[in-house]
Amino acid sequence: MTVFVVRRLGLLALSLLGASILTFALLRLLPGDAAASVGGITADKAQLRSIRHDLGLDRPLIAQYWTWLTEVPTGDLGHSQLNGSSVTGELGEKLRVTGPLVLGALVLALVFAVPLGMLAAVRRERRDGTAISVASQLGIALPTLWVGLLLILLFAVQTPLLPAQGFPVEGWADPGEASRSLVLPTLTLALSEGAVLLRFVRSATLDVLHRDYLRTARAAGRTRTGALLRHGLRNAAGPVLSMLGVQVAALLVGAIVVEKVFTLPGVGSMLVADVGNRDLVKVQGEVMLLVAIVLFVGFLVDIAQRLIDPRLADVRVREVTG
C-alpha cells in the first residue's frame, strides 16, 4: 500500500508540473496585451513599456514561469495585473460559494443516482426501471443552462419560494439566506451531472448481475436484491468510483455555467471575467486551482479503489513499471 501511494503521489506531482507548463504556455498564446488592458486606450508606447516593466512582462518567459512556479507551493498564486489584489485571497473568497455549490451538487447527485441506478438495473424489464432509464437519458440531453432557467421559472417566478439569482453581499454571515441562494444552483448542477452518473451506476450494476457469484448467492436462497447488496455492491463500486473522479471535473465545468445563470460570485464567474480582462496571472492561478482539485480527487479515487480491490493496484503497478 505504501509503495502504491508513493507512486501515485509522484504521478500527481508530475501531472501538476505538466499542467502548470501547459497553462502558462497556452495563456501566453492568447491574443491581446495585458499592458494595454491596464493602461487603457489612452496609453502611449512609453507608458505601455513602463507598464510591461512594472508587471514583469518584459522578462523572458522562462524567468516569468520560474518565478510563478516557485511561489505556488507557498500558496502565493501571484497578484492581479489590473488591480494588484492577491489571487490567493480572491480565490479563497470565491471558493466560499463554489465549494458548497459543487460539494452539495455531488452529494445530491450521489443520493439519487446510486439507488435509482441500481433500481433501474434490477428492474430493467419493468415499467419503473424503464421510466428511470428514460428520465436519465432526458437529463443527459437537456442543457444545464435550460435546466437552470426552467427551475428559476418554476420556483422563483411562478412560485416565489427561492431566490432567482445572486448571493448575499455579507456572504455566510446569514447561513440561512446564503443556503437558500444556493438551492436552485445546486439542484441544477446535481440534476445535470447526476443523470450521467445514474446511467453509469446502472451499467455497472447490470455487469455485476451477470456474474457467477451472484448466481451462486441466488442459488443459495438470496433474493436478487439481497445478493446484489451483500455480494455485488463492492464489486460495482470500483467502476463507479472511476466515473466519480471524471464527474468532479464535469461538475467544476458545469459550475461555471451555473454561476453565470444564477449570477453567483464564484470561481467560475471570476474565471470568465478575468479571461475577458486578460488578467493572465489570475487566470493561470484559477486554472491551476481547478486542475489541482481534479487531480487530487483522482488520487483519492485511486486510493479508494485500492482499498476496495487490492488486485487493481497490483495491475496498475505492473503497468507503470512494465
Side-chain angles (χ1 to χ4, degrees), residues 21-53:
I21 295 173
L22 284 175
T23 300
F24 185 89
L26 292 176
L27 287 177
R28 268 59 190 181
L29 296 177
L30 292 177
D33 185 358
S37 299
V38 176
I41 60 176
T42 61
D44 56 27
K45 293 183 178 180
Q47 290 174 321
L48 291 177
R49 283 197 298 270
S50 176
I51 293 172
R52 291 191 187 98
H53 178 74

mmCIF file of all heavy atoms in Angstrom, residues 21-53:
data_model
loop_
_atom_site.group_PDB
_atom_site.id
_atom_site.type_symbol
_atom_site.label_atom_id
_atom_site.label_comp_id
_atom_site.label_asym_id
_atom_site.label_seq_id
_atom_site.Cartn_x
_atom_site.Cartn_y
_atom_site.Cartn_z
ATOM 1 N N ILE A 21 2.980 23.939 -16.813
ATOM 2 C CA ILE A 21 3.685 24.341 -18.037
ATOM 3 C C ILE A 21 2.685 24.631 -19.153
ATOM 4 O O ILE A 21 2.783 25.664 -19.841
ATOM 5 C CB ILE A 21 4.679 23.241 -18.464
ATOM 6 C CG1 ILE A 21 5.785 23.086 -17.414
ATOM 7 C CG2 ILE A 21 5.284 23.562 -19.828
ATOM 8 C CD1 ILE A 21 6.719 21.917 -17.675
ATOM 9 N N LEU A 22 1.723 23.741 -19.333
ATOM 10 C CA LEU A 22 0.723 23.933 -20.381
ATOM 11 C C LEU A 22 -0.123 25.181 -20.128
ATOM 12 O O LEU A 22 -0.393 25.959 -21.050
ATOM 13 C CB LEU A 22 -0.180 22.708 -20.471
ATOM 14 C CG LEU A 22 0.410 21.472 -21.155
ATOM 15 C CD1 LEU A 22 -0.562 20.306 -21.058
ATOM 16 C CD2 LEU A 22 0.736 21.765 -22.616
ATOM 17 N N THR A 23 -0.526 25.371 -18.887
ATOM 18 C CA THR A 23 -1.346 26.537 -18.556
ATOM 19 C C THR A 23 -0.603 27.825 -18.841
ATOM 20 O O THR A 23 -1.137 28.750 -19.478
ATOM 21 C CB THR A 23 -1.755 26.491 -17.071
ATOM 22 O OG1 THR A 23 -2.507 25.305 -16.823
ATOM 23 C CG2 THR A 23 -2.591 27.705 -16.706
ATOM 24 N N PHE A 24 0.621 27.902 -18.374
ATOM 25 C CA PHE A 24 1.421 29.114 -18.574
ATOM 26 C C PHE A 24 1.656 29.376 -20.055
ATOM 27 O O PHE A 24 1.498 30.505 -20.535
ATOM 28 C CB PHE A 24 2.758 28.977 -17.845
ATOM 29 C CG PHE A 24 3.604 30.213 -17.883
ATOM 30 C CD1 PHE A 24 3.480 31.191 -16.905
ATOM 31 C CD2 PHE A 24 4.538 30.413 -18.898
ATOM 32 C CE1 PHE A 24 4.254 32.342 -16.943
ATOM 33 C CE2 PHE A 24 5.314 31.549 -18.938
ATOM 34 C CZ PHE A 24 5.175 32.517 -17.966
ATOM 35 N N ALA A 25 2.018 28.322 -20.799
ATOM 36 C CA ALA A 25 2.346 28.497 -22.214
ATOM 37 C C ALA A 25 1.117 28.868 -23.041
ATOM 38 O O ALA A 25 1.167 29.787 -23.873
ATOM 39 C CB ALA A 25 2.989 27.224 -22.758
ATOM 40 N N LEU A 26 0.010 28.170 -22.820
ATOM 41 C CA LEU A 26 -1.191 28.419 -23.627
ATOM 42 C C LEU A 26 -1.774 29.802 -23.369
ATOM 43 O O LEU A 26 -2.271 30.455 -24.303
ATOM 44 C CB LEU A 26 -2.240 27.352 -23.344
ATOM 45 C CG LEU A 26 -1.889 25.933 -23.824
ATOM 46 C CD1 LEU A 26 -2.968 24.940 -23.402
ATOM 47 C CD2 LEU A 26 -1.712 25.901 -25.334
ATOM 48 N N LEU A 27 -1.698 30.274 -22.143
ATOM 49 C CA LEU A 27 -2.230 31.606 -21.851
ATOM 50 C C LEU A 27 -1.424 32.692 -22.553
ATOM 51 O O LEU A 27 -1.966 33.743 -22.921
ATOM 52 C CB LEU A 27 -2.231 31.864 -20.345
ATOM 53 C CG LEU A 27 -3.298 31.113 -19.541
ATOM 54 C CD1 LEU A 27 -3.154 31.390 -18.052
ATOM 55 C CD2 LEU A 27 -4.697 31.518 -20.008
ATOM 56 N N ARG A 28 -0.136 32.436 -22.748
ATOM 57 C CA ARG A 28 0.708 33.427 -23.436
ATOM 58 C C ARG A 28 0.440 33.455 -24.935
ATOM 59 O O ARG A 28 0.878 34.387 -25.623
ATOM 60 C CB ARG A 28 2.190 33.146 -23.187
ATOM 61 C CG ARG A 28 2.776 33.890 -21.985
ATOM 62 C CD ARG A 28 2.053 33.531 -20.733
ATOM 63 N NE ARG A 28 2.412 34.372 -19.587
ATOM 64 C CZ ARG A 28 1.901 34.215 -18.387
ATOM 65 N NH1 ARG A 28 0.979 33.290 -18.182
ATOM 66 N NH2 ARG A 28 2.240 35.002 -17.393
ATOM 67 N N LEU A 29 -0.278 32.467 -25.445
ATOM 68 C CA LEU A 29 -0.620 32.449 -26.864
ATOM 69 C C LEU A 29 -1.916 33.192 -27.158
ATOM 70 O O LEU A 29 -2.257 33.405 -28.326
ATOM 71 C CB LEU A 29 -0.744 30.998 -27.354
ATOM 72 C CG LEU A 29 0.540 30.154 -27.301
ATOM 73 C CD1 LEU A 29 0.246 28.725 -27.748
ATOM 74 C CD2 LEU A 29 1.635 30.773 -28.161
ATOM 75 N N LEU A 30 -2.650 33.565 -26.108
ATOM 76 C CA LEU A 30 -3.903 34.280 -26.318
ATOM 77 C C LEU A 30 -3.636 35.653 -26.945
ATOM 78 O O LEU A 30 -2.638 36.302 -26.629
ATOM 79 C CB LEU A 30 -4.642 34.469 -24.987
ATOM 80 C CG LEU A 30 -5.202 33.211 -24.329
ATOM 81 C CD1 LEU A 30 -5.827 33.559 -22.983
ATOM 82 C CD2 LEU A 30 -6.237 32.552 -25.226
ATOM 83 N N PRO A 31 -4.509 36.113 -27.825
ATOM 84 C CA PRO A 31 -4.327 37.433 -28.424
ATOM 85 C C PRO A 31 -4.567 38.533 -27.397
ATOM 86 O O PRO A 31 -5.243 38.341 -26.390
ATOM 87 C CB PRO A 31 -5.401 37.467 -29.529
ATOM 88 C CG PRO A 31 -6.451 36.513 -29.061
ATOM 89 C CD PRO A 31 -5.716 35.427 -28.330
ATOM 90 N N GLY A 32 -3.997 39.702 -27.680
ATOM 91 C CA GLY A 32 -4.189 40.842 -26.788
ATOM 92 C C GLY A 32 -2.931 41.159 -26.001
ATOM 93 O O GLY A 32 -1.922 40.447 -26.069
ATOM 94 N N ASP A 33 -2.982 42.243 -25.246
ATOM 95 C CA ASP A 33 -1.834 42.731 -24.489
ATOM 96 C C ASP A 33 -2.311 43.111 -23.097
ATOM 97 O O ASP A 33 -3.171 43.980 -22.933
ATOM 98 C CB ASP A 33 -1.215 43.940 -25.192
ATOM 99 C CG ASP A 33 0.066 44.412 -24.515
ATOM 100 O OD1 ASP A 33 0.440 43.826 -23.480
ATOM 101 O OD2 ASP A 33 0.683 45.364 -25.019
ATOM 102 N N ALA A 34 -1.754 42.434 -22.071
ATOM 103 C CA ALA A 34 -2.147 42.745 -20.696
ATOM 104 C C ALA A 34 -1.817 44.183 -20.335
ATOM 105 O O ALA A 34 -2.557 44.834 -19.585
ATOM 106 C CB ALA A 34 -1.457 41.775 -19.737
ATOM 107 N N ALA A 35 -0.703 44.702 -20.863
ATOM 108 C CA ALA A 35 -0.323 46.083 -20.574
ATOM 109 C C ALA A 35 -1.354 47.061 -21.132
ATOM 110 O O ALA A 35 -1.676 48.077 -20.504
ATOM 111 C CB ALA A 35 1.058 46.384 -21.155
ATOM 112 N N ALA A 36 -1.889 46.758 -22.299
ATOM 113 C CA ALA A 36 -2.922 47.615 -22.893
ATOM 114 C C ALA A 36 -4.199 47.580 -22.062
ATOM 115 O O ALA A 36 -4.906 48.589 -21.943
ATOM 116 C CB ALA A 36 -3.213 47.175 -24.322
ATOM 117 N N SER A 37 -4.497 46.421 -21.455
ATOM 118 C CA SER A 37 -5.678 46.325 -20.599
ATOM 119 C C SER A 37 -5.524 47.188 -19.357
ATOM 120 O O SER A 37 -6.485 47.799 -18.878
ATOM 121 C CB SER A 37 -5.911 44.868 -20.191
ATOM 122 O OG SER A 37 -6.144 44.046 -21.316
ATOM 123 N N VAL A 38 -4.301 47.258 -18.843
ATOM 124 C CA VAL A 38 -4.044 48.072 -17.654
ATOM 125 C C VAL A 38 -4.010 49.558 -18.003
ATOM 126 O O VAL A 38 -4.616 50.386 -17.319
ATOM 127 C CB VAL A 38 -2.713 47.651 -16.993
ATOM 128 C CG1 VAL A 38 -2.392 48.562 -15.804
ATOM 129 C CG2 VAL A 38 -2.773 46.203 -16.541
ATOM 130 N N GLY A 39 -3.310 49.887 -19.081
ATOM 131 C CA GLY A 39 -3.137 51.293 -19.442
ATOM 132 C C GLY A 39 -4.349 51.932 -20.092
ATOM 133 O O GLY A 39 -4.522 53.162 -20.024
ATOM 134 N N GLY A 40 -5.179 51.116 -20.719
ATOM 135 C CA GLY A 40 -6.346 51.661 -21.390
ATOM 136 C C GLY A 40 -6.014 52.162 -22.789
ATOM 137 O O GLY A 40 -4.862 52.127 -23.235
ATOM 138 N N ILE A 41 -7.029 52.680 -23.463
ATOM 139 C CA ILE A 41 -6.850 53.105 -24.863
ATOM 140 C C ILE A 41 -6.048 54.388 -24.984
ATOM 141 O O ILE A 41 -5.558 54.732 -26.073
ATOM 142 C CB ILE A 41 -8.219 53.279 -25.550
ATOM 143 C CG1 ILE A 41 -9.052 54.340 -24.813
ATOM 144 C CG2 ILE A 41 -8.964 51.948 -25.603
ATOM 145 C CD1 ILE A 41 -10.376 54.642 -25.488
ATOM 146 N N THR A 42 -5.864 55.111 -23.908
ATOM 147 C CA THR A 42 -5.132 56.388 -23.977
ATOM 148 C C THR A 42 -3.641 56.216 -23.736
ATOM 149 O O THR A 42 -2.890 57.195 -23.892
ATOM 150 C CB THR A 42 -5.706 57.370 -22.944
ATOM 151 O OG1 THR A 42 -5.556 56.814 -21.626
ATOM 152 C CG2 THR A 42 -7.176 57.648 -23.217
ATOM 153 N N ALA A 43 -3.182 55.046 -23.365
ATOM 154 C CA ALA A 43 -1.761 54.838 -23.055
ATOM 155 C C ALA A 43 -0.926 54.871 -24.330
ATOM 156 O O ALA A 43 -1.271 54.254 -25.334
ATOM 157 C CB ALA A 43 -1.579 53.501 -22.345
ATOM 158 N N ASP A 44 0.192 55.601 -24.278
ATOM 159 C CA ASP A 44 1.094 55.640 -25.429
ATOM 160 C C ASP A 44 2.140 54.542 -25.296
ATOM 161 O O ASP A 44 2.145 53.769 -24.331
ATOM 162 C CB ASP A 44 1.749 57.015 -25.555
ATOM 163 C CG ASP A 44 2.482 57.427 -24.287
ATOM 164 O OD1 ASP A 44 2.934 56.528 -23.539
ATOM 165 O OD2 ASP A 44 2.604 58.648 -24.030
ATOM 166 N N LYS A 45 3.051 54.465 -26.264
ATOM 167 C CA LYS A 45 4.041 53.386 -26.277
ATOM 168 C C LYS A 45 4.959 53.435 -25.067
ATOM 169 O O LYS A 45 5.312 52.390 -24.499
ATOM 170 C CB LYS A 45 4.869 53.459 -27.562
ATOM 171 C CG LYS A 45 4.059 53.146 -28.820
ATOM 172 C CD LYS A 45 4.952 53.168 -30.048
ATOM 173 C CE LYS A 45 4.152 52.807 -31.312
ATOM 174 N NZ LYS A 45 5.014 52.825 -32.527
ATOM 175 N N ALA A 46 5.358 54.626 -24.646
ATOM 176 C CA ALA A 46 6.233 54.746 -23.480
ATOM 177 C C ALA A 46 5.535 54.247 -22.216
ATOM 178 O O ALA A 46 6.139 53.547 -21.384
ATOM 179 C CB ALA A 46 6.669 56.193 -23.306
ATOM 180 N N GLN A 47 4.283 54.589 -22.076
ATOM 181 C CA GLN A 47 3.530 54.134 -20.914
ATOM 182 C C GLN A 47 3.337 52.620 -20.930
ATOM 183 O O GLN A 47 3.421 51.963 -19.882
ATOM 184 C CB GLN A 47 2.165 54.841 -20.872
ATOM 185 C CG GLN A 47 2.240 56.323 -20.550
ATOM 186 C CD GLN A 47 0.883 56.998 -20.662
ATOM 187 O OE1 GLN A 47 0.099 56.689 -21.562
ATOM 188 N NE2 GLN A 47 0.608 57.944 -19.770
ATOM 189 N N LEU A 48 3.085 52.077 -22.122
ATOM 190 C CA LEU A 48 2.933 50.627 -22.230
ATOM 191 C C LEU A 48 4.232 49.905 -21.871
ATOM 192 O O LEU A 48 4.214 48.863 -21.201
ATOM 193 C CB LEU A 48 2.500 50.247 -23.643
ATOM 194 C CG LEU A 48 1.075 50.659 -24.047
ATOM 195 C CD1 LEU A 48 0.814 50.285 -25.495
ATOM 196 C CD2 LEU A 48 0.045 49.990 -23.136
ATOM 197 N N ARG A 49 5.379 50.459 -22.303
ATOM 198 C CA ARG A 49 6.674 49.856 -21.945
ATOM 199 C C ARG A 49 6.875 49.900 -20.433
ATOM 200 O O ARG A 49 7.371 48.944 -19.831
ATOM 201 C CB ARG A 49 7.811 50.584 -22.661
ATOM 202 C CG ARG A 49 7.954 50.224 -24.126
ATOM 203 C CD ARG A 49 9.317 50.653 -24.665
ATOM 204 N NE ARG A 49 9.482 52.108 -24.571
ATOM 205 C CZ ARG A 49 9.141 52.965 -25.521
ATOM 206 N NH1 ARG A 49 8.600 52.514 -26.649
ATOM 207 N NH2 ARG A 49 9.340 54.263 -25.367
ATOM 208 N N SER A 50 6.488 51.013 -19.820
ATOM 209 C CA SER A 50 6.639 51.139 -18.371
ATOM 210 C C SER A 50 5.747 50.138 -17.639
ATOM 211 O O SER A 50 6.165 49.523 -16.653
ATOM 212 C CB SER A 50 6.287 52.567 -17.941
ATOM 213 O OG SER A 50 6.341 52.688 -16.532
ATOM 214 N N ILE A 51 4.520 49.959 -18.138
ATOM 215 C CA ILE A 51 3.598 49.007 -17.507
ATOM 216 C C ILE A 51 4.124 47.588 -17.647
ATOM 217 O O ILE A 51 4.083 46.793 -16.686
ATOM 218 C CB ILE A 51 2.192 49.131 -18.134
ATOM 219 C CG1 ILE A 51 1.566 50.485 -17.785
ATOM 220 C CG2 ILE A 51 1.288 47.998 -17.665
ATOM 221 C CD1 ILE A 51 0.270 50.769 -18.518
ATOM 222 N N ARG A 52 4.647 47.240 -18.824
ATOM 223 C CA ARG A 52 5.192 45.893 -19.031
ATOM 224 C C ARG A 52 6.356 45.634 -18.077
ATOM 225 O O ARG A 52 6.510 44.536 -17.543
ATOM 226 C CB ARG A 52 5.650 45.725 -20.482
ATOM 227 C CG ARG A 52 4.508 45.690 -21.493
ATOM 228 C CD ARG A 52 5.008 45.263 -22.860
ATOM 229 N NE ARG A 52 3.947 45.383 -23.863
ATOM 230 C CZ ARG A 52 3.812 46.415 -24.685
ATOM 231 N NH1 ARG A 52 4.691 47.424 -24.635
ATOM 232 N NH2 ARG A 52 2.817 46.463 -25.541
ATOM 233 N N HIS A 53 7.176 46.678 -17.871
ATOM 234 C CA HIS A 53 8.314 46.520 -16.949
ATOM 235 C C HIS A 53 7.826 46.324 -15.514
ATOM 236 O O HIS A 53 8.339 45.470 -14.788
ATOM 237 C CB HIS A 53 9.227 47.746 -17.046
ATOM 238 C CG HIS A 53 10.391 47.688 -16.093
ATOM 239 N ND1 HIS A 53 11.474 46.863 -16.298
ATOM 240 C CD2 HIS A 53 10.610 48.348 -14.910
ATOM 241 C CE1 HIS A 53 12.327 47.003 -15.293
ATOM 242 N NE2 HIS A 53 11.831 47.910 -14.441
#
